[in-house]
């Protein structure tokens, strides 16, 4: 990595225990937010690939009717493991802990996060949780078979290793809380002088809203999972109907967190879109304030709508109607964001580089996901669609086609900043189209199958659903190929790409005003920020700064 | 920013602690005495006991935990978080109440219609 | 690292200090408050479970509330009250520059916390001796309401007890830091945060005590 003209964070770092000679120790004990973000990134992407393989094995099992490659019990464990990995190990830490960790200090003009040691601890806690989850595969009856929701009373009764999986989820929740605390304090304390809340980049707004959900909602699910552990170990009985407990209470407690958690995932993703759109439209974003405030609104309303997961669970009719109405309200701030993005693109001379294509592609998939969410939020319709493939398709269109796609958009957008090099634009575009085609082929038939009554989490199906499963299976293969293609493109860019320079996209936010990759402690000079984050005149950034070196040393 | 640093180092006095302690002790005695003096139904007992508890909580947070003398930011965050917790309680209360008096809303609508 | 505060100037020439992330008193306190919020949500959701079952089994809750040992619970309430005072006074002493006085008050708090735990131990053993503990056949025969009431009693007081133990650990750690000179009359945020934590532990008990012992 010595090809760069400056010493980057790849060469020099702070560690928690002083100096280490070993390169590996220098990484895993580093308290530099940039290194921690990469640690998160690699572990997370590793688990993502594992979960994709699990999903492929499920698709293979479902490719034709009857039992093919696994038993029904194994199938239950596989979809549980797929869910647990994707939710707790990939998508919840995903954008905040990996991209957010890297970019938050850079975007607000800070030298690191507020608690660098806590940041490293959070990664170690995350790894511990991941190891606990994985080790439960090899103990006793294997991984939990409850689905990632761990619904009582089945989770109390099943013989599989539910306690281990719950413990892992609890520990991962702790890691997520630590990240959240760190981010809120960083945003409150370490913004560059002059940068008020309404001068922050929109990605930071997304991270801020997310961090609050992490802090205030995660403990609730944490304690409910602990209650299930107590249930199994001590027999307390809170969620056990044979002892007077109420399983629906568990569903409440679970979704009080897990519904805001989907906003926790999507808000920073929206933030990424709000960064990419103005950069490639080369004009100021339309409605900066409304996008910023709508992030906070989504986070706020997100706390009030958890019940729409429980329309068929026996909660009272009154509350169902309230939840349904509140659910529709979430569409308003989300719609505001979409209109703002489209208004920004209107009459702009758009550069369709890879990150922009990913972002625009996401708009298509996310709108399908979001609008089907409104269908599911309607009580009467949901009773019919509940627990069908329609739901599965809906949340994959939002989570995969929204969060993960925008995360990939972010990877492409900030790749030159993180690595200092450029990937092949051509291959990145091909990879996107492969993923996009595969994705739609994989999930769209599931809307139809679900609408015709195909239940989710079933290991087998009636013959009339075979055609949909065939399409999905082929789509899954294309999708996975596209993901591999994308990762290879990025890897080749990292190894052999051309040097990118500090600001290859002509972007305006502070992270582009320092060399790529950034140095230790990021900024030589911290600027006084008395300007908006996205200021363009005639397609050129208004403020061009060189913040990498210390003021006064510029000639040296 | 300099302002903030100075504001943080507000003086704290032992006398404040002792005064608040005396208040807390008297409120605690009140909670212990209440069941002996007044035999009330559950709802009234609960509201008296929780009322006193909230008063004690306010004293602790405001003086022992220095919220009175901190920057307003802390106050805003505390109220915000309490509001979210409160809303969760309210929604759960609506569900719990109407689950044991089912279909209330629809009966009401039928009667009126 | 940066002993002198780093200063930058805006266009009007006004000076602005850049907050040093390695030494940020307000940041440390804000971070700890956020942690306290997570604790608040944890106990908040436990009380939510309590309220849920109290609504369902209110008569049973009243009935079994009368069987709890108010003397022991009341004593513990006073002990925690005093310990919160001693913890606060230790911070006052430290800020006044009286390090030895601060240490004495922390020790007093530790002793009070240990007394709290031993009273709790006797209280629990009496109940367990009567066959009342989660999952016991005696408790099951007492009906669903009793299972919920005592389940909540053991879980919430147990969780609170774990917090007391963690608090004692934190105080011993603080004493070590004072001895090493890492907590001084001008660098006291760790002690202040420990005091905040102890106040939270006290605060939870302020609600636990009436809800379990005094609703009859």
């Amino acid at each position: 990595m010595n090809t760069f003209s400056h010493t980057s964070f790849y060469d020099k770092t702070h560690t928690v225990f002083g100096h280490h000679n070993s390169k590996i120790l220098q990484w895993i004990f580093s308290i530099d937010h940039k290194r921690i973000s990469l640690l998160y990134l690699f572990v997370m992407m590793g688990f993502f690939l594992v979960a994709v393989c699990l999903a492929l094995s499920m698709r293979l099992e479902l490719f034709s009717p009857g039992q093919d490659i696994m038993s029904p019990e194994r199938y239950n464990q596989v979809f549980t493991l797929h869910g647990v990995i994707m939710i707790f190990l990939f998508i919840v830490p995903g954008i905040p802990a990996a991209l957010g960790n890297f970019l938050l200090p850079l975007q607000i003009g800070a030298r690191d996060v507020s608690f660098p040691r806590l940041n490293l601890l959070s990664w170690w806690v995350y790894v511990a949780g991941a190891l606990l989850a994985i080790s439960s595969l090899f103990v006793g009856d294997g991984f939990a078979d409850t689905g990632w929701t761990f619904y009582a009373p089945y989770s109390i009764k099943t013989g599989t290793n539910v306690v281990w999986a719950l413990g892992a989820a609890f520990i991962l929740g702790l890691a997520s809380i630590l990240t959240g605390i760190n981010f809120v304090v960083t945003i409150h304390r370490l913004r560059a002088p002059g940068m008020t809340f309404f001068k922050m980049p929109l990605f930071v707004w997304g991270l801020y809203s997310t961090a609050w959900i992490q802090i205030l909602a995660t403990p609730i699910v944490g304690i409910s999972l602990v209650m299930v552990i107590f249930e199994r170990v001590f027999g307390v009985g809170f969620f056990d109907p044979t002892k007077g407990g109420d399983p629906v209470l568990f569903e409440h407690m679970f979704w009080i967190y897990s519904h805001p958690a989907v906003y926790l995932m999507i808000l920073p993703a929206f933030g990424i879109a709000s960064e990419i759109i103005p950069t490639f439209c080369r004009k100021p974003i339309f409605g900066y304030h409304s996008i910023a405030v709508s992030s906070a609104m989504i986070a706020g309303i997100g706390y009030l709508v958890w019940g729409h997961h429980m329309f068929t669970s026996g909660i009272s009719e009154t509350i169902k109607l309230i939840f349904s109405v509140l659910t529709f309200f979430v569409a308003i701030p989300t719609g505001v964001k979409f209109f703002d993005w489209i208004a920004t693109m209107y009459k702009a001379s758009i550069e369709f580089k890879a990150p922009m294509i990913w972002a625009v592609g996401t708009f298509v998939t996310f709108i399908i996901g979001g609008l089907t969410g409104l269908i599911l939020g309607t009580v009467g319709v949901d009773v019919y669609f509940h627990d069908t493939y329609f739901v599965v398709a809906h949340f994959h269109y939002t989570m995969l086609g929204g969060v993960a796609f925008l995360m990939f958009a972010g990877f492409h957008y900030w790749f030159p900043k993180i690595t200092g090099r450029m990937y092949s634009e051509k291959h990145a575009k091909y990879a996107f189209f492969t993923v996009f085609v595969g994705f739609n082929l994989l999930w769209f038939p599931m809307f139809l199958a679900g609408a015709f009554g195909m239940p989710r989490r079933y290991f087998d199906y009636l013959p009339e659903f075979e055609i949909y499963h065939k399409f999905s299976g082929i789509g899954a293969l294309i999708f996975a190929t596209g993901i591999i293609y994308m990762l290879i493109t990025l890897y080749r860019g990292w190894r052999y790409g051309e040097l990118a320079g500090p600001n290859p996209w002509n972007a305006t936010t502070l992270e582009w005003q320092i060399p790529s990759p950034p140095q230790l402690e990021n900024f030589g000079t911290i600027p006084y920020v008395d300007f908006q984050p996205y200021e363009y005149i005639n397609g050129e950034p208004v403020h061009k700064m060189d913040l990498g070196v210390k003021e006064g040393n510029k000639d040296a | 920013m300099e302002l903030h640093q100075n504001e943080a180092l507000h003086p704290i006095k032992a006398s404040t602690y002792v005064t608040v302690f005396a208040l807390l002790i008297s409120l605690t005695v009140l909670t212990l005495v209440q069941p002996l003096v007044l035999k009330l139904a559950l709802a009234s007992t609960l509201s008296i006991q929780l009322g006193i508890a909230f008063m004690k909580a306010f004293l602790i947070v405001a003086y022992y935990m220095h919220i009175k003398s901190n920057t307003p930011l802390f106050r805003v965050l505390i109220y915000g978080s309490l509001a979210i917790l409160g809303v969760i309680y309210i929604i759960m209360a609506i569900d719990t109440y109407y689950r044991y008096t089912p279909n209330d809303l629809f009966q009401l609508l039928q009667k009126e219609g | 690292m940066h002993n002198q505060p780093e200063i930058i100037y805006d266009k009007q020439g006004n000076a602005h200090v850049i907050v040093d992330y390695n030494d940020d008193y307000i940041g440390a306190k804000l971070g700890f408050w956020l942690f306290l919020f997570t604790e608040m949500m944890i106990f908040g959701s436990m009380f939510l479970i309590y309220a849920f079952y109290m609504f369902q089994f209110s008569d049973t809750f009243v009935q079994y509330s009368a069987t709890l040992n108010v003397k022991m619970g009341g004593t513990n309430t006073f002990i925690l009250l005093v310990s919160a005072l001693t913890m606060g006074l230790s911070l006052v002493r430290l800020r006044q520059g009286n390090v030895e006085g601060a240490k004495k008050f922390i020790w007093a708090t530790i002793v009070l916390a240990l007394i709290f735990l031993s009273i709790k131990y006797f209280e629990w053993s009496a109940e367990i001796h009567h066959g009342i503990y989660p999952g016991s056949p005696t408790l099951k025969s007492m009906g669903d309401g009793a299972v919920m009431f005592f389940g909540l009693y053991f879980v919430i007081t147990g969780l609170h007890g774990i917090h007391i133990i963690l608090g004692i650990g934190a105080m011993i750690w603080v004493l070590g830091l004072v001895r090493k000179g890492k907590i001084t009359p001008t660098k006291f945020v760790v002690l202040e945060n420990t005091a905040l934590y102890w106040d939270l532990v006290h605060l939870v008990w302020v609600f636990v005590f009436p809800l379990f012992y005094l609703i009859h």
Side-chain angles (χ1 to χ4, degrees), chain A residues 532-552:
Chain A
Q532 291 297 320
Y534 314 103
E535 287 187 9
Y536 285 96
I537 290 178
N538 300 328
E540 281 297 312
V542 177
H543 303 278
K544 286 184 179 163
M545 291 167 282
D546 180 12
L547 304 172
V549 283
K550 210 163 175 60
E551 197 89 45

Side-chain angles (χ1 to χ4, degrees), chain A residues 58-59 62 72 75-77 79-80 83-84 145-151 154 254-255 386-389 392 395 454-460 469:
Chain A
M58 283 190 277
R59 278 289 121 217
L62 291 168
Y75 183 82
N76 290 351
Q77 289 176 319
F79 76 65
T80 306
V84 167
D145 58 350
T146 57
W148 77 278
T149 47
F150 301 113
Y151 270 11
Y154 183 67
F254 182 83
W255 288 112
H386 187 85
D387 260 358
T388 65
Y389 266 37
V392 180
F395 72 71
M454 170 76 209
R456 73 192 276 203
R457 290 180 172 174
Y458 274 33
F459 144 90
D460 201 359
H469 285 283

Side-chain angles (χ1 to χ4, degrees), chain C residues 48-102:
Chain C
L48 185 68
I49 301 181
Y50 177 92
F52 185 83
Y53 288 120
M54 164 124 186
F55 183 78
Q56 231 171 314
F57 304 107
S58 45
D59 296 339
T60 337
F61 270 46
V62 173
Q63 182 195 340
Y64 287 108
S65 164
T67 65
L68 292 180
N69 193 330
V70 185
K71 274 179 204 145
M72 284 188 172
T75 317
N76 265 347
T77 309
F78 281 107
I79 288 173
L80 270 191
L81 251 171
V82 179
S83 76
L85 176 71
T86 54
M87 197 64 201
L89 289 179
S90 80
L91 182 64
V92 177
R93 286 286 180 276
L94 183 77
R95 296 264 304 261
Q96 287 166 346
N98 182 352
V99 179
E100 285 311 307

Side-chain angles (χ1 to χ4, degrees), chain A residues 186-203:
Chain A
T186 307
I187 293 171
H188 272 291
R189 294 296 299 160
L190 298 182
R191 278 169 289 133
M195 185 187 271
T196 55
F197 262 69
F198 285 107
K199 291 196 181 82
M200 295 193 308
L202 289 163
F203 183 51

Side-chain angles (χ1 to χ4, degrees), chain A residues 224-297:
Chain A
S224 342
L225 298 181
V226 169
M227 287 307 116
V228 178
I229 295 179
F230 281 3
E231 199 82 58
R232 288 182 70 100
V233 178
F234 303 113
V236 180
F238 292 154
F239 307 129
D240 186 349
T242 62
K243 292 178 179 165
D246 188 348
V248 176
L249 182 62
F250 175 78
E251 294 183 25
H252 269 302
M253 307 271 293
F254 182 83
W255 288 112
I256 287 176
Y257 163 74
S258 298
H259 192 74
V262 307
Y263 300 117
L264 180 166
M265 303 159 194
I266 196 70
L267 283 173
F270 284 163
I272 292 176
S274 311
E275 297 291 326
I276 291 175
I277 300 294
T279 300
F280 293 97
C281 296
R282 290 176 291 163
K283 61 189 258 208
I285 196 154
F286 182 89
Y288 170 87
H289 283 73
S290 57
I291 294 185
V293 172
S294 64
S295 290
M297 268 175 72

Side-chain angles (χ1 to χ4, degrees), chain A residues 31-278:
Chain A
I31 51 172
D32 182 2
H33 68 100
K34 301 182 281 301
R35 286 198 173 196
I36 295 170
S37 109
L38 292 184
L39 291 175
Y40 257 117
L41 186 69
F42 280 103
V43 179
M44 202 184 86
M45 286 310 287
F47 278 112
F48 173 70
L49 291 179
V50 170
V52 166
C53 292
L54 289 168
L56 285 177
S57 72
M58 283 190 277
R59 278 289 121 217
L60 194 60
E61 166 60 43
L62 291 168
F63 197 70
S64 38
Q67 180 168 340
D68 301 312
I69 58 163
M70 57 177 112
S71 64
E73 293 77 23
R74 179 72 66 215
Y75 183 82
N76 290 351
Q77 289 176 319
V78 168
F79 76 65
T80 306
L81 187 59
H82 169 80
V84 167
I85 290 182
M86 281 298 195
I87 299 287
F88 294 110
L89 288 169
F90 173 64
I91 212 160
V92 168
I95 298 178
L99 282 175
N101 233 333
F102 197 97
L103 290 157
L104 171 65
L106 296 179
Q107 289 201 321
I108 61 174
R111 297 217 155 88
D112 207 316
V113 290
S114 269
F115 310 113
R117 285 180 187 78
L118 198 69
N119 204 3
L120 180 66
L121 179 70
S122 139
W123 181 74
W124 276 100
V125 171
Y126 167 79
V127 169
L131 288 178
L132 185 62
I134 297 308
S135 52
S136 80
L137 284 171
F138 307 105
V139 181
D141 280 342
F143 201 76
D145 58 350
T146 57
W148 77 278
T149 47
F150 301 113
Y151 270 11
Y154 183 67
S155 59
I156 302 170
K157 296 200 159 59
T158 169
T160 48
N161 270 326
V162 177
V163 171
W164 290 47
L166 290 169
F170 179 79
I171 292 172
L172 293 168
L174 190 62
S176 163
I177 290 175
L178 295 180
T179 307
I181 290 177
N182 221 335
F183 281 11
V184 170
V185 178
T186 307
I187 293 171
H188 272 291
R189 294 296 299 160
L190 298 182
R191 278 169 289 133
M195 185 187 271
T196 55
F197 262 69
F198 285 107
K199 291 196 181 82
M200 295 193 308
L202 289 163
F203 183 51
V204 178
W205 267 97
L207 289 174
Y208 186 68
S209 311
T210 289
W212 273 109
I213 300 176
Q214 286 175 312
I215 293 170
L216 293 181
T218 318
I220 299 177
V221 79
I223 197 69
S224 342
L225 298 181
V226 169
M227 287 307 116
V228 178
I229 295 179
F230 281 3
E231 199 82 58
R232 288 182 70 100
V233 178
F234 303 113
V236 180
F238 292 154
F239 307 129
D240 186 349
T242 62
K243 292 178 179 165
D246 188 348
V248 176
L249 182 62
F250 175 78
E251 294 183 25
H252 269 302
M253 307 271 293
F254 182 83
W255 288 112
I256 287 176
Y257 163 74
S258 298
H259 192 74
V262 307
Y263 300 117
L264 180 166
M265 303 159 194
I266 196 70
L267 283 173
F270 284 163
I272 292 176
S274 311
E275 297 291 326
I276 291 175
I277 300 294

